């Protein structure tokens, strides 16, 4: 076909210099499958995380000191007794404010501005474009040069926040080695919380901004052996960033779900050392 339904001028796929092809794509394979799977996966996580963040039930196991990451740190007097490891500087919070209100926006910002997630949702949610060689529906393309997408450039700052949050989650995981009668104890929950925090660290440290902070803008690696070493290790992790992005969504849900089951009395924790 040689006719076009596109506007005469525009940017991106509709710009004057692009070939005029009326078909949205000439691809005949199932190019829509990866974006479809992505949007289902992201959507499922968002629904689960939103519901769990607001319900305010079954987020703390007093016997074993299991705290779900969605409520950590719990800094308000609305938190159940024992769940506030860092005190309660905030008073009672109305129901529409999640108890994890202080970190959830930063975690959301970290993931939303992540280079991998950007690829994922630009394709699957915004169709910009949905796949290689499939025209996007948008007539204009301004990239990440103006609001709101210019905020993507703040990713490095969300990374700093994510490091602090990972330290807090590590503290929670260590505290989860707690026996019923006080002292040391270990259960399946302690191992799940620990596994989750290790993978969260792997995701956080494999971040592209972290790699750049470690070794970016160095003219001579030989003059900076320590930074070079860190850069090399982070580079190895960085190749797995997409996998870690998905794995940690899974482990976050799994960890929260397990804590919920134990905290609500639906199942009892599998104790290894009581
Ligand atoms: Fe994905 Fe930084 S967390 S690039």
């Amino acid at each position: 076909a040689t006719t076009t339904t596109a506007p005469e001028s525009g940017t991106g796929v509709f710009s004057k210099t692009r070939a005029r092809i009326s078909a949205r794509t000439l691809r005949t394979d199932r190019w829509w499958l990866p974006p479809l799977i992505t949007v289902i996966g992201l959507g499922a996580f968002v629904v689960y995380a939103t519901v769990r963040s607001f319900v305010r039930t079954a987020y703390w196991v007093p016997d074993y000191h299991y705290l779900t990451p969605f409520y950590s740190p719990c800094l308000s007097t609305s938190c159940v007794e024992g769940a506030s490891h860092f005190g309660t500087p905030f008073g009672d919070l109305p129901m529409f404010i999640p108890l994890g209100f202080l970190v959830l926006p930063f975690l959301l910002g970290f993931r939303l501005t992540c280079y991998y997630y950007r690829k994922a949702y630009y394709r699957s949610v915004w169709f910009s474009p949905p796949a290689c060689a499939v025209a996007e529906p948008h007539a204009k393309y301004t990239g990440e040069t103006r609001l709101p997408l210019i905020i993507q450039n703040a990713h490095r700052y969300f990374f700093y926040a994510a490091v602090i949050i990972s330290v807090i989650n590590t503290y929670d995981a260590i505290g989860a080695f707690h026996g019923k009668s006080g002292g040391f104890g270990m259960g399946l929950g302690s191992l799940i919380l620990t596994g989750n925090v290790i993978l969260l660290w792997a995701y956080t440290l494999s971040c592209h901004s972290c790699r750049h902070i470690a070794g970016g803008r160095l003219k001579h690696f030989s003059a900076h052996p320590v930074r070079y070493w860190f850069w090399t290790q982070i580079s190895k992790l960085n190749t797995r960033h997409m996998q870690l992005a998905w794995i940690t969504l899974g482990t976050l849900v799994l960890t929260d779900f397990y804590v919920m089951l134990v905290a609500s009395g639906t199942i009892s924790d599998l104790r290894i050392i009581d």
Side-chain angles (χ1 to χ4, degrees):
T2 51
T3 55
T4 177
T5 51
E8 269 306 296
S9 64
T11 54
V13 80
F14 302 121
S15 67
K16 281 200 176 106
T17 51
R18 297 291 284 265
R20 298 192 171 196
I21 300 169
S22 60
R24 176 129 280 161
T25 182
L26 301 176
R27 283 179 70 166
T28 53
D29 63 337
R30 289 190 296 168
W31 58 265
W32 44 267
L33 194 57
L36 180 67
I37 294 171
T38 304
V39 81
I40 291 172
L42 293 179
F45 179 81
V46 168
V47 170
Y48 180 88
T50 307
V51 171
R52 278 296 290 156
S53 297
F54 281 95
V55 290
R56 289 194 186 183
T57 53
Y59 57 89
W60 166 247
V61 180
D63 282 350
Y64 310 128
H65 290 194
Y66 298 161
L67 178 66
T68 168
F70 292 153
Y71 284 70
S72 174
C74 217
L75 298 170
S76 129
T77 47
S78 302
C79 301
V80 290
E81 204 185 323
S84 303
H85 300 154
F86 302 94
T88 51
F90 298 94
D92 279 3
L93 293 173
M95 286 307 283
F96 61 87
I97 299 182
L99 295 181
F101 73 100
L102 202 63
V103 298
L104 292 177
F106 290 101
L107 285 180
L108 187 68
F110 185 48
R111 300 243 170 188
L112 272 181
T113 60
C114 162
Y115 290 77
Y116 165 66
Y117 283 109
R118 272 144 80 171
K119 170 191 167 186
Y121 69 78
Y122 283 178
R123 287 188 181 184
S124 64
V125 178
W126 194 238
F127 300 149
S128 183
C132 290
V134 180
E136 57 191 308
H138 313 288
K140 271 209 157 120
Y141 176 78
T142 53
E144 295 170 339
T145 56
R146 53 182 82 164
L147 272 173
L149 292 186
I150 199 165
I151 295 170
Q152 306 286 26
N153 294 299
H155 183 61
R156 162 186 289 234
Y157 301 101
F158 286 115
F159 165 77
Y160 293 138
V163 168
I164 297 170
I165 297 164
S166 296
V167 171
I168 295 170
N169 289 334
T170 307
Y171 181 88
D172 293 341
I174 294 169
F177 286 87
H178 190 270
K180 204 170 194 166
S181 44
F184 183 82
M186 182 163 67
L188 182 56
S190 333
L191 300 180
I192 289 178
L193 278 153
T194 305
N196 177 56
V197 94
I198 290 171
L199 287 160
L200 282 180
W201 272 116
Y203 169 68
T204 306
L205 293 176
S206 68
C207 164
H208 294 68
S209 289
C210 175
R211 182 170 178 264
H212 188 259
I213 290 161
R217 298 178 72 103
L218 287 183
K219 286 215 171 74
H220 307 287
F221 277 138
S222 57
H224 303 273
V226 177
R227 287 184 66 184
Y228 177 61
W229 185 85
F230 276 112
W231 181 84
T232 311
Q233 304 310 314
I234 291 166
S235 297
K236 286 181 200 157
L237 265 185
N238 183 255
T239 61
R240 304 258 178 277
H241 193 58
M242 177 183 86
Q243 287 88 335
L244 287 164
W246 283 105
I247 289 169
T248 49
L249 282 194
T251 54
L252 277 169
V253 169
L254 179 78
T255 307
D256 176 79
F257 194 64
Y258 188 80
V259 170
M260 181 180 82
L261 291 181
V262 176
S264 60
T266 313
I267 60 167
S268 51
D269 186 33
L270 188 74
R271 297 306 288 171
I272 301 159
I273 301 172
D274 221 2

